[in-house]
Amino acid sequence: MSMEKELHEYTAKTVRSRALHEEALAVMPGGNSRTTTFFDPYPFYIQRGQGAHIWDADGNDRLDFNGNYTSLILGHAPPEVVKAIQEAVVHGLSFPGPTEHEVRLAELLTRRAPSVERIRFTNSGTEATMNAVRLARAFTGRPRIAKFEGAYHGTHDWVLVSVAPDPKAAGSRKRPKPVPASAGVPPAVLKHTVVLPWNDPEACEQIIEAEAPNLAAVLVDPLLGIGGVIPPADGFLPRLRALTERHGIVLIFDEVISFRIAWGGAQERFGVRPDLTTFGKIIGGGLPVGAFGGRADIMSSYDPRKGAARISHGGTFNANPATMAAGVATLNALTPEAYARLDALGERLRGGVTRLLAATRRKGQVSGVGSLFCLHWTPEPLSDYRSSRPKDPEAPLRLFMGLLNEGILLTQRGLGACSLAMTEEDIDRFVNALARVLARS
Ligand SMILES: Cc1ncc(COP(=O)(O)O)c(C=O)c1O
């Protein structure tokens, strides 16, 4: 089926969503508050979610492999998390001071990630990476940061560089040029951002060695999550660790997505100890959240005792009790057995998709680790952002729309996540739906 036919089917099924979108257009630019969730001609409006399912305003039921962009690791409205939130909010919604819930979530996270000796909470992953970058600059006294081409770290200026650049504007593969990812990013940001090629240790070494005296931090999403869930090659992260250590550069792992791949996150799974870590998504149990933490000596810049904080970090809703309680309930449900189950679901999905693509001779592949996966529409071996770019730029969106019509929700770029609310039958349903979409495309 062509994109046109998929769109026709979608619009026929989503009449109420279209009406809501038209109302939204009168009060929000493009009817939208969240660019990442928008797609043409309009997104469906969500009415409720339960377990692995999500229902829209027209009553369409879809299996949710988006999970609010990988946040909902237990699925929608898990009873133990809903109960923890209810118990917290009857005592008040937010306060001008700390609560015990905050201490408990901090304890759980620092236990899971021993590199995180001290931690602070924010309301988003964006605020977490913003603080980590500022902290690295304050600690080292150096102005620049390095990030990887294709990596997304949120929406503040310092990371809105080379997120999904057109390679024609982005220099050579081994020495990528910084490209602004948004209008309004000031030239000073580009001047102070060094862009690294993922999974190319020699090129990274050359760039980092040359920039070292000015480099405060290397910021790494250990899975290049939004860039396509492309795992690090063997030895790549340890090499970055050794290199940054040698030059006194702060190594920041952005585990906003990758923390879900193991009890102790990607740092446990890949056996690398960063200086700082940022968190988000799953640690708030479905409510707005972020956190950053790491070495006690570095984090001490935030210590306000005797008015001595070098960095002031406020936030009206930081560590609010509802989010903290939801995070504690979620982490308590994430036992070692739960991770084994999530891994098995991810393996089953990747195996099924790989067999389907081989059987139908499609020039596609599926990448991923644990419960995370990403569909790619290129035959090129996947190693970095550039290798993952689709040969036909419309392919990911056509697949996304086709899957929506089959009752499956993914992200527009093909990133997906299995949740603990899913069964093996749900995974098989995904593979069968993909087979039908491919058969008609
Ligand atoms: C690796 C990574 N870092 C940071 C962020 C930003 O988090 P938030 O959307 O909560 O601001 C995201 C969001 O997808 C992310 O994937």
Side-chain angles (χ1 to χ4, degrees), residues 145-273:
I145 64 156
K147 75 173 285 289
F148 284 88
E149 191 172 65
Y152 177 72
H153 300 287
T155 57
H156 61 90
D157 283 351
W158 292 111
V159 291
L160 280 178
V161 178
S162 297
V163 175
D166 180 346
K168 286 194 213 89
S172 78
R173 201 165 193 150
K174 288 197 166 293
R175 189 56 168 111
K177 278 201 323 216
V179 178
S182 166
V185 172
V189 166
L190 300 183
K191 188 171 154 232
H192 287 109
T193 307
V194 175
V195 183
L196 301 169
W198 185 241
N199 274 335
D200 187 337
E202 281 76 32
C204 287
E205 197 158 305
Q206 273 185 13
I207 298 170
I208 291 171
E209 299 260 338
E211 297 281 352
N214 286 319
L215 218 43
V218 173
L219 176 58
V220 189
D221 172 344
L223 286 181
L224 204 70
I226 301 284
V229 195
I230 301 176
D234 278 353
F236 182 61
L237 294 177
R239 207 153 150 186
L240 282 181
R241 175 64 286 184
L243 190 60
T244 46
E245 197 159 356
R246 194 155 67 238
H247 292 286
I249 299 165
V250 176
L251 181 65
I252 307 170
F253 271 16
D254 180 357
E255 294 234 37
V256 167
I257 286 186
S258 67
F259 196 62
R260 68 177 283 147
I261 68 169
W263 195 82
Q267 52 197 272
E268 177 191 74
R269 193 144 178 162
F270 299 124
V272 173
R273 190 180 171 105

Side-chain angles (χ1 to χ4, degrees), residues 3 7 10-11 14 18 21 25 30 38-43 401:
M3 185 67 163
L7 283 173
Y10 174 75
T11 50
T14 53
R18 181 202 282 266
H21 177 65
L25 286 175
F38 183 81
F39 55 88
D40 278 320
Y42 54 86
M401 196 51 80

Side-chain angles (χ1 to χ4, degrees), residues 23-41:
E23 287 175 39
L25 286 175
V27 281
M28 286 173 273
N32 181 262
S33 295
R34 195 174 169 194
T35 315
T36 35
T37 60
F38 183 81
F39 55 88
D40 278 320

Side-chain angles (χ1 to χ4, degrees), residues 357-376:
L357 294 172
T360 53
R361 296 172 193 274
R362 291 285 170 158
K363 292 196 170 88
Q365 357 179 12
V366 59
S367 64
V369 180
S371 54
L372 291 167
F373 65 94
C374 190
L375 302 176
H376 300 269

Side-chain angles (χ1 to χ4, degrees), residues 247-330:
H247 292 286
I249 299 165
V250 176
L251 181 65
I252 307 170
F253 271 16
D254 180 357
E255 294 234 37
V256 167
I257 286 186
S258 67
F259 196 62
R260 68 177 283 147
I261 68 169
W263 195 82
Q267 52 197 272
E268 177 191 74
R269 193 144 178 162
F270 299 124
V272 173
R273 190 180 171 105
D275 300 306
L276 295 178
T277 302
T278 55
F279 303 89
K281 303 212 192 262
I282 70 161
I283 70 155
L287 297 185
V289 78
F292 63 100
R295 276 169 44 189
D297 59 334
I298 304 182
M299 287 297 289
S300 70
S301 284
Y302 287 85
D303 184 342
R305 283 175 293 181
K306 300 196 182 108
R310 292 180 64 217
I311 304 178
S312 167
H313 165 228
T316 305
F317 296 106
N318 286 358
N320 72 81
T323 297
M324 298 296 104
V328 168
T330 300

